Amino acid sequence: MEKIEHIGIAVKDLERSNQLFAALFGAPHYKIEEVASEGVKTSFFKTGPNKIELLQATRSSSTIAKFIEKKGEGIHHIAFAVKDLKAEILRLKEQGFVFVNETPKKGADNKLVVFLHPKASNGVLIELCQEIDSLK
Ligand code: ZN
């Protein structure tokens, strides 16, 4: 596993939160992307070497909507960059980690992603992501 790729924050109102985080970082978001398959709209901020992803649900069945309903707004996941997603999945399975989705799916920001179930990682939802361009 490599560096923290980004931290994901669940928000109710992306537009309002974009203004809030732009004020916080002193720079606006650099990208908005909807992942229709996941029912989320995301925006990305850079602050120094770090990246923050804001996520807003676009439908009530979205995992973000369910998360906010249960826990309120706040930190939703921590994403780690990996070089070889398939190898990491195998390695972590051997260690007894449980996946939300074992088959990588396309996430925001040109990434293939899998999520580890928070029950097996101290309540923290962990995303592993690999740059799609690095697969070629
Ligand atoms: Zn993420």
Side-chain angles (χ1 to χ4, degrees), residues 6-8 44 53 55 77 79 113 115 127:
H6 62 270
I7 294 175
F44 286 90
E53 172 186 34
L55 306 109
H77 64 270
V113 303
F115 285 91
E127 174 185 344

Short mmCIF file of all heavy atoms in Angstrom, two decimals, residues 6-8 44 53 55 77 79 113 115 127, ligand 1:
data_model
loop_
_atom_site.label_atom_id
_atom_site.label_comp_id
_atom_site.label_asym_id
_atom_site.label_seq_id
_atom_site.Cartn_x
_atom_site.Cartn_y
_atom_site.Cartn_z
N HIS A 6 -6.68 9.99 -0.88
CA HIS A 6 -7.58 11.08 -0.51
C HIS A 6 -8.40 10.67 0.71
O HIS A 6 -8.40 9.51 1.12
CB HIS A 6 -8.51 11.47 -1.67
CG HIS A 6 -9.43 10.36 -2.11
ND1 HIS A 6 -9.11 9.46 -3.09
CD2 HIS A 6 -10.67 10.00 -1.70
CE1 HIS A 6 -10.10 8.61 -3.27
NE2 HIS A 6 -11.08 8.91 -2.43
N ILE A 7 -9.08 11.65 1.28
CA ILE A 7 -10.02 11.40 2.35
C ILE A 7 -11.40 11.80 1.83
O ILE A 7 -11.54 12.87 1.23
CB ILE A 7 -9.64 12.20 3.62
CG1 ILE A 7 -8.30 11.65 4.15
CG2 ILE A 7 -10.73 12.09 4.69
CD1 ILE A 7 -7.74 12.42 5.31
N GLY A 8 -12.37 10.92 2.03
CA GLY A 8 -13.72 11.17 1.53
C GLY A 8 -14.62 11.68 2.65
O GLY A 8 -14.65 11.10 3.75
N PHE A 44 -13.57 17.51 -5.82
CA PHE A 44 -12.21 17.28 -5.32
C PHE A 44 -11.48 18.59 -5.05
O PHE A 44 -11.57 19.53 -5.84
CB PHE A 44 -11.41 16.46 -6.33
CG PHE A 44 -11.81 15.01 -6.38
CD1 PHE A 44 -12.79 14.58 -7.25
CD2 PHE A 44 -11.20 14.08 -5.55
CE1 PHE A 44 -13.18 13.25 -7.30
CE2 PHE A 44 -11.58 12.75 -5.58
CZ PHE A 44 -12.56 12.32 -6.46
N GLU A 53 -12.03 14.55 -1.03
CA GLU A 53 -13.18 14.27 -1.88
C GLU A 53 -14.45 14.51 -1.07
O GLU A 53 -14.63 13.96 0.00
CB GLU A 53 -13.13 12.79 -2.33
CG GLU A 53 -14.35 12.30 -3.08
CD GLU A 53 -14.31 10.80 -3.38
OE1 GLU A 53 -13.78 10.03 -2.55
OE2 GLU A 53 -14.81 10.41 -4.44
N LEU A 55 -18.53 14.03 -1.01
CA LEU A 55 -19.51 13.17 -1.66
C LEU A 55 -20.92 13.52 -1.22
O LEU A 55 -21.20 13.59 -0.02
CB LEU A 55 -19.25 11.69 -1.31
CG LEU A 55 -17.86 11.14 -1.57
CD1 LEU A 55 -17.14 10.91 -0.25
CD2 LEU A 55 -17.91 9.86 -2.36
N HIS A 77 -14.62 7.90 4.32
CA HIS A 77 -13.61 6.87 4.05
C HIS A 77 -12.22 7.46 3.89
O HIS A 77 -12.08 8.67 3.67
CB HIS A 77 -13.98 6.04 2.81
CG HIS A 77 -14.01 6.83 1.53
ND1 HIS A 77 -15.13 7.46 1.06
CD2 HIS A 77 -13.04 7.07 0.61
CE1 HIS A 77 -14.86 8.05 -0.10
NE2 HIS A 77 -13.58 7.84 -0.40
N ALA A 79 -8.87 6.72 1.54
CA ALA A 79 -8.46 5.97 0.35
C ALA A 79 -6.94 5.89 0.27
O ALA A 79 -6.25 6.89 0.48
CB ALA A 79 -8.99 6.65 -0.91
N VAL A 113 -11.54 0.98 -7.98
CA VAL A 113 -11.59 1.00 -6.53
C VAL A 113 -12.24 -0.25 -5.94
O VAL A 113 -13.08 -0.88 -6.58
CB VAL A 113 -12.36 2.25 -6.01
CG1 VAL A 113 -11.73 3.53 -6.53
CG2 VAL A 113 -13.83 2.20 -6.38
N PHE A 115 -13.61 -1.43 -1.77
CA PHE A 115 -13.76 -0.97 -0.39
C PHE A 115 -13.64 -2.15 0.56
O PHE A 115 -14.17 -3.23 0.29
CB PHE A 115 -15.12 -0.29 -0.20
CG PHE A 115 -15.19 1.09 -0.79
CD1 PHE A 115 -15.62 1.28 -2.10
CD2 PHE A 115 -14.80 2.20 -0.04
CE1 PHE A 115 -15.68 2.56 -2.64
CE2 PHE A 115 -14.86 3.47 -0.59
CZ PHE A 115 -15.30 3.65 -1.88
N GLU A 127 -10.81 2.57 1.32
CA GLU A 127 -10.87 2.42 -0.14
C GLU A 127 -9.45 2.17 -0.63
O GLU A 127 -8.51 2.81 -0.17
CB GLU A 127 -11.43 3.72 -0.75
CG GLU A 127 -11.41 3.77 -2.27
CD GLU A 127 -11.86 5.14 -2.83
OE1 GLU A 127 -12.45 5.94 -2.10
OE2 GLU A 127 -11.56 5.38 -4.01
ZN ZN B 1 -12.94 8.01 -2.37
#
